Amino acid sequence: MKLTFYKYHGLGNDFVMFDDMDQTLELTPEQVQHICDRHFGIGADGVILVRPSKRDECVAYMHYINSDGTLAEMCGNGIRCFARFLVDRGYIAPEVSSFVADTLRGPLSLELERDSSGNFLRAVVDMDEPILQAAEIPTTLKESFYPDLGLSCVCEQSISSPWGDFSFTCVSMGNPHAVCFLDTITSLPDTCFTGNEKTLETFKLDEIGAYFECHPAFPAKSNIEFIVVGDNELLMRVFERGCGETLACGTGACASLVAAVLTNRSKRHNKVHLRGGILDITWSKNNHVYMAGPAVCSFAGTLDL
């Protein structure tokens, strides 16, 4: 089977995209794993099938699959690439500045920012409201009511590990996230780092993130974010559920900003600095989270599958 594919990325979080508007493409988990393999396939963090939506208000449906072949509810960088794909392929007219996308989480509204020539610059995505209830995230960690916040959430709950105890604040953006703030990173054990320097860059995310991703506290597994709070920004590394560390995670950036607000580490707008670049995240007074960032087409080609 010969397929035309398009390779897109949002801040280095990359996807192989297929135009499946005729709904003829069904990929097995093994095929997805092959496509995403960076040595034997094209290489990507996930696969996106662009399909028609059953909702009248939506332009199209984003069917997102992790690199391990598992279906995911949502992908923040993926939906910006999805928007760029619709623009590039002519499914959205040049004069259109906003539209509604369909996802497994439900319809999401997007604003398109263009340059003076009408070219795509970035997308601003209404990521809907964060989900803070433990059972809906889901997590078995303790949910408590915080009178000063006026809500119940899972904040700063400790989990033990071979590297010591880590505290997590849990948020769902349609997919589960557990956010850990490394406020005293230099006091962590030497075993948490590669080399002698104790920084976010030398933190053993591949090992520690993988441990917590599959921890029993997260019955549906979880995306794991580790954060160092900087001057007017959040510095983030992420171990994504189903694919490992990625250069960027849009839903993770949103969840991290929400967690930082809940724990009094940030105002409601901040820049989240990921390994692949910066996302602007706002948790507005209407309780919706807005994510703004770029999306780029790297190349296109054909694949024998």
Side-chain angles (χ1 to χ4, degrees):
M1 178 170 56
K2 189 177 290 292
L3 299 172
T4 299
F5 71 87
Y6 304 84
K7 180 74 176 289
Y8 279 74
H9 77 87
L11 300 181
N13 191 194
D14 56 347
F15 312 96
V16 174
M17 305 187 67
F18 296 96
D19 189 330
D20 193 33
M21 283 298 201
D22 58 4
Q23 301 185 83
T24 59
L25 186 56
E26 290 293 340
L27 298 175
T28 67
E30 292 74 22
Q31 287 174 323
V32 171
Q33 292 167 16
H34 172 72
I35 291 168
C36 293
D37 190 292
R38 298 188 185 278
H39 299 287
F40 297 100
I42 299 167
D45 294 321
V47 167
I48 295 175
L49 304 182
V50 181
R51 291 175 169 173
S53 172
K54 296 178 181 178
R55 305 174 190 267
D56 292 338
E57 73 271 26
C58 296
V59 172
Y61 163 66
M62 181 182 79
H63 191 72
Y64 176 65
I65 310 168
N66 289 318
S67 61
D68 67 353
T70 57
L71 189 64
E73 305 92 339
M74 183 56 196
C75 178
N77 289 311
I79 198 169
R80 296 198 319 278
C81 292
F82 177 76
R84 179 69 186 261
F85 180 94
L86 294 175
V87 170
D88 292 348
R89 301 291 296 160
Y91 291 112
I92 294 178
E95 66 274 10
V96 172
S97 61
S98 64
F99 73 99
V100 180
D102 195 5
T103 72
L104 268 185
R105 187 182 185 186
L108 296 177
S109 299
L110 293 90
E111 299 284 338
L112 302 176
E113 295 185 2
R114 304 174 187 262
D115 63 19
S116 58
S117 300
N119 298 312
F120 182 101
L121 285 177
R122 68 176 191 169
V124 181
V125 187
D126 180 349
M127 298 288 286
D128 210 335
E129 299 184 5
I131 298 166
L132 303 177
Q133 293 71 37
E136 296 181 39
I137 290 172
T139 179
T140 61
L141 294 176
K142 183 181 178 182
E143 176 185 332
S144 299
F145 181 75
Y146 294 84
D148 54 332
L149 297 173
L151 48 78
S152 293
C153 54
V154 179
C155 279
E156 307 274 54
Q157 294 298 302
S158 181
I159 303 178
S160 61
S161 80
W163 304 270
D165 295 345
F166 290 84
S167 294
F168 290 94
T169 298
C170 298
V171 179
S172 172
M173 295 302 306
N175 55 351
H177 294 268
V179 183
C180 177
F181 295 95
L182 302 177
D183 296 325
T184 55
I185 190 169
T186 56
S187 67
L188 292 176
D190 294 345
T191 53
C192 291
F193 303 92
T194 58
N196 297 322
E197 194 175 4
K198 294 184 178 182
T199 68
L200 188 60
E201 282 301 306
T202 62
F203 186 73
K204 290 182 178 178
L205 183 69
D206 283 348
E207 297 178 28
I208 301 173
Y211 176 85
F212 286 115
E213 176 207 17
C214 300
H215 193 277
F218 309 116
K221 297 187 178 182
S222 183
N223 300 280
I224 308 295
E225 286 80 27
F226 290 95
I227 307 291
V228 172
V229 179
D231 296 331
N232 300 314
E233 67 176 352
L234 303 176
L235 308 174
M236 171 181 141
R237 286 181 68 190
V238 56
F239 191 95
E240 286 202 48
R241 180 184 61 164
C243 60
E245 182 174 16
T246 60
L247 294 179
C249 176
T251 55
C254 293
S256 296
L257 185 277
V258 171
V261 173
L262 291 174
T263 58
N264 295 312
R265 289 179 170 90
S266 175
K267 295 181 179 179
R268 284 182 168 260
H269 170 78
N270 214 332
K271 294 182 182 298
V272 180
H273 198 135
L274 308 109
R275 295 187 105 176
I278 295 173
L279 290 173
D280 284 309
I281 310 295
T282 302
W283 187 14
S284 71
K285 292 297 184 180
N286 69 359
N287 201 34
H288 283 229
V289 180
Y290 295 86
M291 172 193 64
V296 176
C297 182
S298 302
F299 58 88
T302 56
L303 169 70
D304 286 317
L305 194 62

